[in-house]
Amino acid sequence: MQKFITFEGGEGSGKSTLIKNLANYFDENGVDYIATREPGGLDVCEKIREIVKYSKEELTPQTELLLFSASRAQLTHDVILPALKNGKVVICDRYFDSTRVYQGYCANIADEVVMNITNFATNGLVPDVTFFLDIDPQFAFERKGGKDKGDRIENKDFSYHQNVRKSFKLLAQIDKRFVVLDATKSEKDLLNQVVLVLKNKKII
Ligand SMILES: Nc1ncnc2c1ncn2[C@@H]1O[C@H](COP(=O)(O)OP(=O)(O)O)[C@@H](O)[C@H]1O
Ligand SMILES: [Mg+2]
């Protein structure tokens, strides 16, 4: 059985924190896993990320979609699929649902188009469970202590981030693969909830 877990949500929603806690839990309980995120340490993906984050030209949504998909294709082929094939649990910090939200819903590219390109890039790989960390973006921003870095996507205004939240919620409503987490809960509560879901789904 394939064991592929993804975490989605806006900036500062707590994805990295929850993944770190889940990885600690896996370490302590002898679960064989890898945790990755795009660009996942791959050179070509790092280079693509540099282009997306710091391009001097305003990138069109189509360009962003194709660049993220190219990066995802390589990460999926080189890192995710081999680990899944070896029976490992794979945790990924964002995957194609982020593209559906940021380049799809929020940039007016139809979800069907995004998914066609995504399926081509990933060979149709779909996560077994996707945790969406739901939080008011304003609250997440304040919790994080305000602005700390200057990349293009993070610098957009709050109405944009509200739209991101709304779009993730929409995806979560239409696809049973999603589990919505109240990201304002404590780190411990969130970890317990995730572990319970993974046990119920027989992923761990
Ligand atoms: N459950 C939580 N309760 C309180 N603060 C949290 C929680 N999860 C994360 N944080 C804090 O919120 C900020 C953003 O968390 P992070 O995990 O980096 O989010 P993301 O990876 O989604 O951008 C960090 O300062 C982190 O310490
Ligand atoms: Mg993070």
Side-chain angles (χ1 to χ4, degrees):
M1 177 200 160
Q2 176 193 289
K3 299 163 179 176
F4 185 25
I5 312 166
T6 58
F7 287 83
E8 298 282 358
E11 281 305 319
S13 59
K15 299 178 296 299
S16 300
T17 304
L18 183 50
I19 288 170
K20 184 193 73 197
N21 291 333
L22 183 62
N24 284 340
Y25 175 90
F26 284 176
D27 286 334
E28 285 162 10
N29 289 275
V31 176
D32 196 11
Y33 75 97
I34 63 156
T36 188
R37 59 187 282 265
E38 293 163 342
L42 296 176
D43 183 57
V44 63
C45 300
E46 295 283 358
K47 284 179 175 144
I48 293 170
R49 189 182 179 85
E50 290 291 302
I51 296 170
V52 176
K53 283 185 98 164
Y54 303 112
S55 171
K56 287 178 183 146
E57 291 85 27
E58 183 69 24
L59 298 181
T60 71
Q62 289 89 338
T63 306
E64 282 195 3
L65 168 60
L66 291 167
L67 286 170
F68 279 120
S69 298
S71 176
R72 189 164 301 131
Q74 198 68 32
L75 184 75
T76 302
H77 176 269
D78 286 5
V79 177
I80 297 175
L81 286 175
L84 290 173
K85 212 170 258 178
N86 283 330
K88 291 179 198 284
V89 176
V90 175
I91 307 171
C92 200
D93 189 339
R94 295 191 183 277
Y95 198 56
F96 64 65
D97 294 306
S98 281
T99 297
R100 296 170 85 183
V101 165
Y102 290 91
Q103 283 74 47
Y105 288 105
C106 293
N108 284 317
I109 299 180
D111 193 51
E112 194 193 347
V113 174
V114 175
M115 283 316 295
N116 279 338
I117 289 165
T118 293
N119 284 329
F120 174 69
T122 63
N123 252 313
L125 179 66
V126 176
D128 297 280
V129 56
T130 298
F131 294 97
F132 162 46
L133 284 147
D134 185 33
I135 191 167
D136 176 61
Q138 181 80 47
F139 182 72
F141 184 76
E142 281 158 16
R143 187 170 75 170
K144 197 171 159 180
K147 188 142 97 177
D148 61 356
K149 45 185 146 97
D151 83 70
R152 281 184 324 110
I153 291 174
E154 287 187 11
N155 279 339
K156 299 201 181 197
D157 62 26
F158 280 114
S159 67
Y160 178 82
H161 293 288
Q162 296 289 2
N163 202 22
V164 166
R165 182 189 193 191
K166 209 174 81 187
S167 310
F168 273 124
K169 279 185 164 187
L170 201 72
L171 279 183
Q173 268 170 14
I174 58 178
D175 197 331
K176 283 206 280 246
R177 162 169 68 83
F178 282 87
V179 174
V180 181
L181 301 174
D182 174 355
T184 64
K185 286 189 176 167
S186 72
E187 288 185 32
K188 193 163 165 264
D189 282 354
L190 287 166
L191 176 64
N192 287 340
Q193 202 180 337
V194 166
V195 167
L196 196 67
V197 168
L198 296 179
K199 283 184 174 167
N200 284 340
K201 291 185 179 291
K202 310 228 178 306
I203 290 176
I204 58 171

